[in-house]
């Protein structure tokens, strides 16, 4: 009976496409704004569960199942991850001047090929990775816990809109010992909320909506009505050098900090401090001052920004490049072993019963091990280079160059797609170095094309970025897909049905994201602010790819500072490896490298958001709140943070419409001079919300006891 539980329906497909499109657009804006994207698995699970519950109204009601909801969040996550692959690379073609705007069909084609390549990479790797005890799949396990707990609670209070899967697991099939197995579905008294109390899903929706409202209003007031500016800063001369500190007032960045946590926030902020308080003074001491043609002001901020933009930011470039390569090399042995197992056996438990060649065209007899046939993967790998070749030939106007780009795209796509899948399983999607892998791809392909085309070739950087765009989409999708497949294994979904939803989840966003990118770039612009676009989005990752590819062919890179960043990354990486073995405090090299590269205003906001949540966690532990209750309370804060991110991003996209129509970035402005105290009020509100939402019951109880 449990094997007949519904997993895909017309409702679930429509819901998945709707959520995937909206959340992908939000991640697209967020990535261009700050260079990072967030996982949408939990928000899409809650929203999908709510939308599917509408179907339960009326005489012909059909209750949703946990596997159906899991299929929705799986497809929606695919679309959001596709946004990461695109915004890391495609805008670089605009930044180097190859495109004046995002070309729609070409961008959609790259997104579709790269996204489906990522899905294809994950299919043969699923079975061995699910059996590998060293792979923890943190986001996949957490999402399964949220689904199982929330839907069990819904059934316990008598809302028959859900039907949880029957408890079933074997410990050895769910990764490391500290990975929690799926909770056993037992409807105890503790599972039933008190009369009048909100269920987990209702609480999640409440905080998601509240966060969305805060993010939307703040964005409307700052970037629409221009009531306050988006950032605040202080800069001064200390002798002959500049000391600078800035803060972005964006609720989305505080939400990102809450989600990634205090550890990542500290590393990002620490990287910015190293750059601005160590590297910038060194650059001002040893590098030549700006010449008169650059129109750099004499004030401390203008002077500091000049040295950061032209010199010390490349410390982060070197650190990300070396850190990404070292991270991949550290996992190379496990990667090779996993791919070899997937090819030779295909299944860890039934090697003799199911030989690899039978998987070419047959489904496994066990429903829970039914991957898409390998023949479909092989057919995809053989067919997809053809349209990719035509597209690259159109863009590069050279069949030989296009053929080389296609070969490199497929080769690196399969290798780095598999690498992304394994790294996501080992360290989680949040720590998966997609940007580092993409940067390594752009650098290596640039060197290949440099040998073919020589220096000063305008087609060289374009070719490298096009290859990198396919790789970024594939690596991002493969890593996230494996988390969703792990969640599916826990709730006993059929693998090939999830793989179908992943593929469908790529298709629609592949054709909508180019439109979103066109709208954002036409309205705000990307890269450094200019007279035409005074409020441009930084697009930090795309800027990084453009600078590396262009610099290799035209010799404009400050290699001394890149080398300094690479040396710093090497030292940190060696320390982190030793710290991992000896149980010391670890320093993930890519988080620190990203801090060295990103703007300090961004990293300060992320740091403060992470510290607010850290303070809440500390308060809950100090009050001896149980683990289960603590996780539940922190999930409320996570939903508020996710809402703030989505609300701000969607309003940012919506504001682009009147800006593009009018041609005036201040079309909705109500005041001439922004009022910065409004931004500080937003900061205080976000910090207070991220602390008091998870500690609300604790604070009330303490106050009552005091009185």
């Amino acid at each position: 009976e449990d094997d007949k539980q519904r997993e895909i329906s017309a409702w679930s497909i429509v819901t998945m496409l709707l959520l995937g499109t909206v959340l992908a657009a939000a991640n697209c804006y967020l990535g261009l704004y700050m260079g990072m994207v967030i996982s949408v698995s939990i928000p899409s699970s809650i929203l999908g569960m709510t939308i599917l519950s509408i179907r339960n109204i009326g005489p012909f009601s059909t209750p949703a199942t946990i596997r159906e909801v899991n299929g929705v969040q799986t497809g929606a996550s695919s679309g959001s991850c596709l946004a990461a692959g695109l915004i890391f690379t495609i805008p670089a073609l605009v930044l180097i001047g190859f495109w004046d705007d995002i070309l729609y069909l070409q961008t959609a084609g790259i997104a579709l090929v790269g996204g489906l390549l990522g899905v294809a990479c994950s299919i043969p790797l699923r079975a061995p990775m699910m059996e590998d005890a060293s792979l923890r799949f943190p986001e996949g396990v957490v999402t399964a816990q949220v689904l199982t707990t929330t839907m069990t609670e819904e059934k316990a209070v008598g809302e028959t809109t859900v039907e949880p899967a029957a408890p079933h697991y074997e410990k050895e099939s769910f990764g490391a010992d500290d990975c929690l197995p799926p909770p056993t579905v037992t409807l105890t008294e503790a599972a039933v909320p008190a009369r009048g109390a909100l269920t987990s899903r209702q609480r999640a929706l409440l905080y998601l909506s509240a966060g969305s409202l805060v993010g939307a209003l703040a964005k409307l007031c700052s970037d629409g009505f221009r009531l306050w500016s988006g950032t605040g800063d202080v800069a001064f001369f200390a002798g002959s050098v500049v000391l600078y500190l800035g803060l972005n007032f964006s609720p989305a960045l505080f939400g990102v900090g809450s989600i990634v946590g205090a550890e990542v926030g500290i590393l990002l902020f620490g990287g910015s401090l190293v750059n601005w308080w160590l590297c910038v003074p060194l650059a001002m001491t040893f590098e030549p001052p700006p010449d008169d043609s650059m129109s750099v002001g004499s004030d401390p901020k203008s002077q500091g920004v000049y040295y950061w933009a032209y010199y010390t930011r490349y410390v982060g470039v070197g650190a990300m490049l070396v850190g990404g390569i070292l991270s991949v090399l550290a996992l190379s042995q496990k990667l090779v072993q996993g791919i070899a197992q997937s090819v030779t056996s295909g299944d860890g438990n039934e090697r003799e019963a199911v030989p690899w060649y039978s998987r070419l065209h047959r489904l496994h007899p066990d429903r829970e091990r039914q991957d898409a046939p390998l023949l479909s993967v092989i057919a995809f790998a053989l067919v997809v280079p053809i349209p990719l070749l035509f597209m690259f030939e159109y863009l590069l106007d050279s069949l030989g160059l296009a053929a080389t780009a296609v070969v490199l795209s497929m080769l690196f796509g399969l290798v780095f797609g598999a690498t992304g899948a394994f790294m996501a399983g080992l360290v989680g999607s949040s720590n998966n170095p997609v940007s580092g892998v993409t940067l390594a791809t752009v650098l290596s392909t640039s060197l290949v094309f440099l040998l073919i085309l020589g220096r000063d070739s305008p087609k060289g950087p374009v070719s490298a970025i096009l290859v990198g765009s396919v790789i970024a989409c594939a690596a991002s999708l493969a890593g996230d897909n494996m988390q969703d497949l792990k969640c599916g294994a826990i709730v006993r979904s059929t693998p090939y049905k999830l793989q179908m939803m992943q593929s469908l989840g790529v298709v629609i966003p592949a054709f909508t994201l180019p439109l979103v990118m066109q709208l954002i770039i036409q309205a705000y612009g990307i890269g450094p602010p200019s007279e035409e676009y005074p409020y441009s989005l930084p697009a930090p990752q795309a800027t990084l790819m453009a600078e590396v590819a262009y610099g290799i062919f035209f010799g404009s890179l400050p290699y001394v500072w890149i080398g300094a960043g690479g040396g710093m990354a090497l030292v940190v990486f060696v320390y982190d490896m030793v710290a991992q073995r000896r149980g010391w405090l670890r320093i993930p090299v890519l988080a620190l490298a990203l801090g060295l590269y990103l703007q300090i205003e961004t990293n300060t906001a992320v740091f403060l958001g992470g510290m607010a949540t850290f303070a809440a966690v500390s308060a809950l532990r100090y009050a001896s709140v149980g683990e289960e209750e603590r996780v539940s309370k922190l999930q409320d804060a996570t939903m508020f943070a996710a809402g703030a991110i989505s609300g701000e991003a969607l309003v940012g996209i919506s504001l682009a419409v009147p800006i593009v129509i009018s041609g005036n970035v201040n079309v909705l402005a109500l005041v001439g001079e922004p009022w910065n105290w409004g931004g500080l009020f937003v900061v205080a509100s976000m910090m207070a919300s991220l602390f008091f939402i998870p500690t609300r019951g604790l604070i009330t109880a303490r106050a009552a006891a005091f009185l």
Side-chain angles (χ1 to χ4, degrees):
E1 182 67 26
D2 183 64
D3 285 343
K4 297 180 181 178
Q5 191 179 109
R6 185 178 56 258
E7 300 186 47
I8 298 178
S9 65
W11 268 82
S12 68
I13 292 175
V14 172
T15 302
M16 176 268 293
L17 294 177
L18 174 64
L19 292 178
T21 302
V22 173
L23 295 174
N27 255 347
C28 178
Y29 181 87
L30 182 66
L32 292 173
Y33 187 49
M34 69 164 295
M36 296 174 64
V37 296
I38 62 165
S39 172
V40 301
S41 294
I42 293 178
S44 59
S45 297
I46 299 297
L47 292 171
M49 195 183 308
T50 302
I51 295 174
L52 290 178
S53 68
I54 300 174
R55 189 180 55 188
N56 201 43
I57 301 174
F60 303 103
S61 62
T62 306
T65 69
I66 191 171
R67 295 175 195 161
E68 194 176 16
V69 176
N70 183 49
V72 170
Q73 73 85 15
T74 295
S77 297
S78 295
S80 294
C81 283
L82 187 64
L86 287 180
I87 58 95
F88 283 179
T89 51
I90 291 297
L93 297 173
V94 177
L95 291 170
I96 65 174
F98 181 67
W99 287 353
D100 294 328
D101 196 2
I102 299 296
L103 298 187
Y104 176 75
L105 288 179
Q106 289 78 3
T107 303
I110 290 172
L112 191 62
V113 170
L116 293 178
L117 184 60
V119 176
C121 288
S122 66
I123 291 175
L125 296 174
R126 187 205 64 84
M129 288 185 64
M130 295 301 106
E131 304 295 335
D132 191 336
S134 66
L135 302 178
R136 301 178 63 243
F137 297 100
E139 290 90 346
V141 173
V142 170
T143 303
Q145 290 174 336
V146 170
L147 280 172
T148 309
T149 303
T150 304
M151 301 190 79
T152 300
E153 184 182 271
E154 295 280 337
K155 186 173 182 179
V157 298
E159 297 184 10
T160 57
T161 58
V162 296
E163 184 175 335
H168 170 82
Y169 74 94
E170 298 173 0
K171 184 176 181 181
E172 64 269 21
S173 67
F174 285 95
D177 290 341
D178 57 342
C179 288
L180 297 177
T184 301
V185 182
T186 55
L187 304 183
T188 63
E189 183 179 352
V192 184
R195 183 178 297 275
L198 298 176
T199 65
S200 296
R201 177 170 65 89
Q202 291 168 339
R203 279 203 326 274
L205 280 174
L206 173 64
Y207 288 115
L208 186 68
S209 302
S212 299
L213 183 62
V214 170
L217 287 177
K219 191 67 174 178
L220 182 63
C221 291
S222 63
D223 287 16
F225 300 149
R226 304 292 177 190
L227 298 181
W228 58 78
S229 61
T231 60
D233 53 65
V234 56
F236 56 90
F237 283 109
S240 60
V241 300
V242 169
L243 293 180
Y244 176 77
L245 185 65
L247 173 63
N248 196 305
F249 301 143
S250 163
L253 298 182
F254 286 85
V256 170
S258 176
I259 291 174
V260 301
E263 179 184 356
V264 174
I266 290 172
L267 290 172
L268 291 174
F269 184 59
S272 289
L273 292 183
V274 169
N275 195 324
W276 272 96
W277 291 10
L278 176 62
C279 298
V280 168
L282 288 174
M284 296 186 73
T285 303
F286 295 104
E287 296 291 350
D291 56 47
D292 296 336
S293 64
M294 293 184 176
S295 302
V296 178
S298 60
D299 60 286
K301 179 181 177 181
S302 298
Q303 290 287 312
V305 168
Y306 164 78
Y307 284 98
W308 173 81
Y310 283 91
Y311 299 106
T312 68
R313 184 174 54 164
Y314 290 91
V315 174
V317 174
M320 289 184 67
L321 177 61
V322 173
I325 293 174
L326 291 175
S327 298
V328 172
L329 291 177
L331 293 174
S332 58
Q333 182 178 1
K334 182 176 290 295
L335 174 65
V336 173
Q337 291 173 348
I339 294 176
Q341 182 184 347
S342 69
V343 172
T344 57
S345 65
D347 192 284
N349 288 343
E350 301 192 21
R351 302 185 183 195
E352 299 299 328
V354 187
W356 69 269
Y357 52 82
S358 68
R359 300 177 65 230
L360 287 174
H361 59 90
R362 296 181 188 172
L363 292 176
H364 197 288
D366 184 350
R367 180 188 63 80
E368 295 179 41
R369 302 180 187 278
Q370 291 178 351
D371 288 294
L374 284 178
L375 193 61
S376 62
V377 179
I378 296 173
F380 174 81
L382 293 176
V383 171
V384 77
I386 299 174
L388 197 61
L389 177 64
F390 282 108
M391 186 164 52
F392 282 179
E393 197 278 333
Y394 173 80
L395 292 172
L396 299 173
D397 195 26
S398 169
L399 183 60
L401 197 59
T404 304
V406 169
V407 171
L408 292 175
S409 297
M410 297 303 296
L411 177 62
F412 286 147
L414 292 172
V415 172
F416 287 128
T419 302
F422 268 88
M423 296 191 76
L426 191 65
V427 300
S429 297
S430 302
N431 299 312
N432 193 3
V434 174
S435 57
V437 167
T438 307
L439 180 59
T441 302
V442 170
L443 176 64
S444 57
T445 52
S446 294
L447 295 176
V448 172
F449 288 119
L450 183 65
L451 294 175
I452 297 174
L453 300 172
R455 297 186 63 85
D456 300 329
S457 170
K459 293 183 180 179
V462 176
S463 304
I465 292 170
L466 287 175
V467 174
S469 63
V470 176
I471 306 314
C473 294
S476 179
L477 261 294
D480 183 78
N481 285 351
M482 207 56 74
Q483 297 287 350
D484 294 327
L485 291 170
K486 182 65 174 182
C487 178
I490 295 176
V491 302
R492 302 183 63 194
S493 296
T494 306
Y496 83 85
K497 293 183 179 179
L498 290 181
Q499 289 153 0
M500 288 173 55
M501 295 295 277
Q502 289 169 341
S503 300
L504 289 173
V506 167
V507 174
I508 299 300
F511 289 97
T512 57
L513 283 172
L515 297 175
V516 174
M517 295 171 67
Q518 284 179 341
L519 181 64
I520 292 173
I521 292 176
Q522 289 175 11
Y524 301 108
I526 55 175
S530 62
E531 185 176 346
E532 183 180 3
Y533 296 110
Y535 305 105
S536 63
L537 301 182
Q541 302 291 7
T543 301
L544 172 63
M545 306 305 165
E547 289 172 340
V548 169
Y550 191 85
I552 287 176
F553 282 89
F554 294 93
S556 57
L557 293 175
Y559 291 103
V560 172
W561 293 99
I562 292 176
M568 191 181 302
L570 180 60
V571 171
V572 172
F573 180 82
V574 171
Y575 166 81
D576 190 56
M577 296 292 286
V578 175
Q580 183 180 15
R581 292 187 176 93
R582 299 192 178 184
W584 298 346
L585 178 66
R586 298 190 59 188
I587 304 179
V589 63
L590 284 170
L592 182 64
L594 196 59
L596 287 166
Y597 180 77
L598 293 178
Q599 295 176 329
I600 192 172
E601 297 89 347
T602 296
N603 291 337
T604 305
V606 173
F607 165 72
L608 291 176
M611 294 307 296
T613 300
F614 174 76
V617 172
S618 301
L620 293 172
R621 287 177 175 167
Y622 179 77
S624 300
V625 176
E627 176 70 19
E628 184 177 347
E629 183 181 359
R630 185 165 70 243
V631 170
S632 176
K633 289 178 177 294
L634 291 173
Q635 182 184 322
D636 293 339
T638 299
M639 296 305 295
F640 179 84
I645 295 168
S646 301
E648 178 176 339
L650 294 177
V651 168
I653 296 171
S654 301
L655 289 174
V657 176
I659 292 175
V660 171
I661 292 175
S662 65
N664 179 12
V665 72
N666 294 314
V667 62
L668 301 178
L670 299 180
V671 296
E673 190 68 26
W675 182 56
N676 271 351
W677 289 105
L680 295 177
F681 174 76
V682 172
V683 171
S685 299
M686 284 298 299
M687 294 283 288
S689 299
L690 293 173
F691 177 78
F692 286 113
I693 286 174
T695 61
R696 60 195 182 282
L698 174 64
I699 300 297
T700 304
R702 294 280 176 172
F706 177 78
L707 295 175

